[in-house]
Amino acid sequence: MNLSTLIPALFFVAILGLPVSAEPLPKAITSAPCLKPPTIDGVFEVDEWRDAKVYDFDMEMLSLNPPGKANRACELRVMNSANALYIGFRVPDLKVNNSLDPLDFDLATLAFCRGKELVTGDDRKVIAPGLYADKHFVVPNKDGDDKKKDGRGAVVHSKGVYSFEWAIPLDSADTEDIQAKAGDTLRFNLAYFDSFKFDLKDTQAGSIFGGDLNKADTWGTLELAAKVEKDDGSAFKGPAWVSEFFKKQTGPAKRFRVEDSALMPNLNKPAVKALLSFTYRDTQGKEKEGKATAYF
C-alpha cells in the first residue's frame, strides 16, 4: 500500500471541515507519567495502559456520499516517559475495511504542529490494518514519507471496536519528528477515516478536535508530564529472541541481519514478523543488498 499517493486524497475529505460534536474532547489535555511502556500490538491489555490519562468523548463523523453525520463514543489514552509518548485510541466500527483493490480502507492519522501554523516537516503517524507509516506534512493535501522511519503503531479490531496504539520517540534525531521533551506542550490532532474510497461512497471521516488536518488553528494541545524518567525503550523493539536466533546461525543463514521485528496481531497463536537484510552476489559477481521477511 503506497500511502504517498493515498494520503493527499484522504485529506480532501478532511479539508471539508468536520463540526465539533456535542461532547467534544477538551481543547487542552494532559498526559500522565508512564511507569512502564505498553506493548505496541493494538491490544489494550488490562495493566499496560493503567498509568495513562483517559478521556472519553464523542467524535462527530461526516459522510458526503450520501451526506450524513453521526457521533461515535471514543476513548483517548495518553502517557509519556522522558523519551517517549504513548497514545491509545479506540473508536467503534462494526466492519473491517482493508482492501487495496478495490480501495476500501480504514485508517487513523496522528498529526502534530510545532508552531501556530503547519510547516513542512511537521510530524504525522499513520496506522491502518497491517500498516504503520512515519510521515510528515509537506503542503496542504500532500504528505511525504520520512527518510528514517521512527516510532511504532498497531491496530486490532475486536467486538466492533478498533484499538490503535502509537509509541512516538521524543528524543529522535530525525528533524521530521516532533522533537519534544517532557513537560512540553504539543499542538496535535487525530483523524479517523472509515471505509475510505476514492469516490467517497459510504466513507466517513472525523477528527478528535474537529476541523481539518491542513490547518492547525482548531487543533488541541497536549501537555506532556514533566517529572518523568526515561523508560527502557521496549515499546520500540521487537522480541529480543528474534535477533538472538539469527546471531546463533551458521552457514548461509549467518548473513541475515534483523532490521526490525514485531508481534503479529489477530492470530490464534502468537507469531512474529521479522524484516531481514542480507548481502549476496548477483549474476555478474557484484555484491548486492537484499531484503526478506520471515515469520515465526
Side-chain angles (χ1 to χ4, degrees):
M1 177 181 180
N2 188 344
L3 285 175
S4 296
T5 57
L6 177 58
I7 290 298
L10 284 170
F11 287 105
F12 170 76
V13 179
I15 63 174
L16 295 174
L18 304 178
V20 178
S21 64
E23 298 179 9
L25 190 68
K27 285 290 187 179
I29 65 174
T30 59
S31 175
C34 174
L35 303 179
K36 182 180 179 181
T39 299
I40 305 302
D41 57 3
V43 180
F44 280 35
E45 298 290 352
V46 175
D47 292 328
E48 66 177 358
W49 287 95
R50 188 182 298 275
D51 298 335
K53 188 72 180 262
V54 181
Y55 295 90
D56 295 311
F57 64 100
D58 289 338
M59 181 171 70
E60 188 165 77
M61 302 289 291
L62 176 69
S63 57
L64 301 177
N65 183 16
K69 298 177 184 179
N71 280 353
R72 300 196 191 187
C74 298
E75 177 187 283
L76 186 71
R77 300 192 181 203
V78 189
M79 58 184 178
N80 70 275
S81 63
N83 58 289
L85 168 63
Y86 303 105
I87 293 180
F89 173 62
R90 302 191 75 193
V91 56
D93 192 335
L94 296 178
K95 183 181 178 181
V96 174
N97 303 92
N98 61 353
S99 170
L100 294 178
D101 187 15
L103 182 65
D104 184 1
F105 231 72
D106 301 326
L107 73 157
T109 298
L110 185 60
F112 295 92
C113 177
R114 287 171 284 193
K116 292 183 178 180
E117 298 180 356
L118 287 164
V119 296
T120 299
D122 278 338
D123 201 8
R124 306 237 157 144
K125 311 292 189 188
V126 182
I127 301 177
L131 180 146
Y132 168 75
D134 187 9
K135 304 181 75 68
H136 59 273
F137 176 81
V138 179
V139 294
N141 298 322
K142 183 178 180 181
D143 287 351
D145 292 311
D146 284 13
K147 298 181 184 68
K148 180 175 177 288
K149 182 178 178 179
D150 296 294
R152 286 212 178 226
V155 58
V156 164
H157 186 273
S158 178
K159 299 179 180 179
V161 176
Y162 269 123
S163 297
F164 293 86
E165 292 182 317
W166 284 268
I168 302 165
L170 297 179
D171 54 358
S172 168
D174 189 349
T175 57
E176 294 167 336
D177 288 338
I178 55 177
Q179 301 292 305
K181 64 182 183 299
D184 283 355
T185 297
L186 306 175
R187 184 182 294 273
F188 82 110
N189 206 346
L190 194 163
Y192 177 66
F193 301 90
D194 179 4
S195 187
F196 174 77
K197 308 179 188 71
F198 284 126
D199 64 2
L200 304 182
K201 175 67 174 176
D202 298 322
T203 297
Q204 293 187 0
S207 60
I208 63 175
F209 293 115
D212 63 63
L213 296 185
N214 286 316
K215 298 179 181 178
D217 54 351
T218 63
W219 294 12
T221 59
L222 169 63
E223 182 182 350
L224 300 177
K227 296 180 180 180
V228 290
E229 302 292 334
K230 282 193 173 184
D231 63 45
D232 60 8
S234 59
F236 301 102
K237 304 173 184 176
W241 64 262
V242 176
S243 295
E244 293 300 318
F245 172 81
F246 282 100
K247 288 179 182 178
K248 297 176 182 178
Q249 298 305 304
T250 59
K254 192 175 182 179
R255 290 180 297 158
F256 286 117
R257 300 181 297 274
V258 178
E259 302 293 339
D260 194 12
S261 63
L263 292 170
M264 302 264 313
N266 289 333
L267 297 177
N268 293 328
K269 294 183 179 181
V272 170
K273 177 181 179 180
L275 303 180
L276 310 174
S277 62
F278 59 94
T279 54
Y280 69 96
R281 294 191 181 278
D282 65 12
T283 55
Q284 283 74 44
K286 295 182 179 180
E287 194 169 87
K288 298 286 187 178
E289 178 91 355
K291 301 291 184 182
T293 302
Y295 297 87
F296 298 86

